[in-house]
Amino acid sequence: MVFKLAVLTIALAAFAGAANYKRVTCPDGVNTATHEACCAFFSLRDDLQTNLFEGECGEDVHESLRLTFHDGVSFSKSGAFKGDGADGSILLFGNIETNFSENLGTDDGVDALAPFLTRHLVTAGDLIQFAAATGLANCPGAPRLQFLVGRPNATIPAEDGAIPGPADTVDTILSRFADAGFTSNEVIHLLASHSVARSDTIVPDHQAVPFDSTPFNFDTQFFLEVLLKGTAVPFNRTTPNTVGGEVDSPLASEGEMRLQSDFALARDPRTACEWQSMVDNQFLMMENFRTAMMKLSVVGQDTRKLVDCSELIPEPKPAVKLHATFPAGTSRFEVQQTCRAPFPVLRTDPGKATTIPECPDGDVNLADCPS
Ligand code: HEM
Ligand SMILES: *[C@@H]1O[C@H](CO)[C@@H](O)[C@H](O)[C@H]1NC(C)=O
Ligand SMILES: *[C@@H]1O[C@H](CO)[C@@H](O)[C@H](O)[C@H]1NC(C)=O
Ligand SMILES: *[C@@H]1O[C@H](CO)[C@@H](O)[C@H](O)[C@H]1NC(C)=O
């Protein structure tokens, strides 16, 4: 009975929603939207794309995307940490939160987004999610993320210790994510974000070192390359320079680096098959990431109070590399496979060892890098 009533209520709500479906004209007199709450995001979108991202999948997009993790995973179901999840606290209490050791480097993203909070009438939590979803659309192969509006401004900062770090064990990472509301599969799905990622805090001299050979494309190279046997750390260093946060990468001389956490999650019996399933499966990776991001973007929020403004998110650039390939000089013999499912059959890139262009910091994409 209760069940039937619930179904009826949902059906009625859907009907009412459809019946009331009409577009509102925004105060700018130009744009129309499904809900007036979406209106503020038209000018924000233009401002971000023109003045921060420059239409590219560069450093500022990567940093904005990273903020969704460092804002959202501060939440704790058990009450171990006081943070309110995807509430923008990392922006509003940036001086506190960017100083936590696991948040190293997030000050760049916070500094980049702060002016947009002053210029636009939006909350900090909405800004982070909107910047990430809009910026990600500049990355070829990215999914079009959902975007909901209405997260209240954070009232308290997150607590130190809630965000897992690259030196953590798989146990620690999975249990912290579980306490924030995520399954182990969802953790692996979220790590598709590391397909468009570089580190500039773990290596010396703040050089931006990519996690895979295609850091400006949202493709499955990351899931493949993390499974390859590591040989060294980049820049002729003899040992990793953070306490367990970095391990050998397969393309160190080409300037690729690897996080210990990614290495361990790719091989752990609990997560290895989920990891491997995304190697060479662009559409699965996109869909997994889109779904997991729907959850990360609303951690700690009452979704009944949020308004769907996904229509504001641009259609992402199409994938430029639909199939993963072994970087030149590597092959299936270097795959450290722990999942029993058959490994996809992949081509190897011809020629000498892959070169990953070294780009200066800032808003660069692959096309701008010196070859
Ligand atoms: C097991 C959990 C995770 C760990 C331990 C981890 C760790 C790291 C580390 C150490 C960096 C390098 C930061 C730097 O040195 O500049 C990084 C970069 C990045 N992470 Fe994660 N991460 C995790 C999960 C996530 C999630 C869930 C997301 C988003 C959904 C994310 C998005 C990113 C992005 C986009 C970058 C690149 C930033 C840039 O290029 O400037 N990470 N991550
Ligand atoms: C940042 O953290 C360090 C130690 O981790 C502490 O000594 C320092 O006071 C903190 N700074 C701020 C602004 O909170
Ligand atoms: C949220 O905080 C920002 C920064 O202080 C402010 O500009 C904005 O008006 C606040 N929004 C709301 C709805 O309180
Ligand atoms: C690393 O060492 C090799 C051999 O000594 C040298 O050819 C190469 O230029 C070095 N690379 C860097 C980035 O210093």
Side-chain angles (χ1 to χ4, degrees), residues 94-101 160:
N95 56 341
I96 300 171
E97 291 191 28
T98 61
N99 194 35
F100 300 162
S101 61
D160 198 2

Side-chain angles (χ1 to χ4, degrees), residues 67-83:
L67 288 185
T68 63
F69 165 49
H70 294 263
D71 197 34
V73 177
S74 61
F75 183 78
S76 167
K77 290 200 291 186
S78 69
F81 301 97
K82 282 201 296 276

Side-chain angles (χ1 to χ4, degrees), residues 31-113:
N31 293 296
T32 65
T34 48
H35 192 287
E36 60 189 5
C38 306
C39 288
F41 293 86
F42 286 100
S43 62
L44 175 56
R45 182 177 66 189
D46 295 345
D47 198 1
L48 284 168
Q49 285 286 42
T50 308
N51 298 313
L52 187 61
F53 302 145
E54 298 172 356
E56 294 178 347
C57 176
E59 187 78 357
D60 291 301
V61 168
H62 301 181
E63 282 166 359
S64 298
L65 182 59
R66 188 175 177 227
L67 288 185
T68 63
F69 165 49
H70 294 263
D71 197 34
V73 177
S74 61
F75 183 78
S76 167
K77 290 200 291 186
S78 69
F81 301 97
K82 282 201 296 276
D84 284 331
D87 62 354
S89 64
I90 197 165
L91 269 187
L92 295 169
F93 300 96
N95 56 341
I96 300 171
E97 291 191 28
T98 61
N99 194 35
F100 300 162
S101 61
E102 286 77 16
N103 292 352
L104 209 62
T106 55
D107 54 330
D108 289 343
V110 165
D111 292 347
L113 289 188

Side-chain angles (χ1 to χ4, degrees), residues 258-316:
R258 178 186 280 170
L259 299 181
Q260 183 281 144
S261 48
D262 290 336
F263 170 87
L265 287 160
R267 288 160 182 75
D268 189 276
R270 288 163 287 184
T271 44
C273 283
E274 201 57 33
W275 188 285
Q276 182 182 308
S277 74
M278 283 183 279
V279 173
D280 200 36
N281 197 333
Q282 177 72 23
F283 294 105
L284 181 66
M285 169 178 160
M286 290 165 76
E287 187 50 26
N288 285 345
F289 187 64
R290 196 184 66 82
T291 311
M293 283 301 289
M294 282 171 65
K295 206 160 161 182
L296 181 61
S297 69
V298 296
V299 175
Q301 298 293 319
D302 180 352
T303 50
R304 289 166 307 180
K305 294 185 182 151
L306 304 181
V307 173
D308 194 334
C309 297
S310 303
E311 60 173 343
L312 268 287
I313 305 304
E315 198 59 59

Side-chain angles (χ1 to χ4, degrees), residues 92 117 123 153:
L92 295 169
L117 197 53
T123 65
N153 269 343

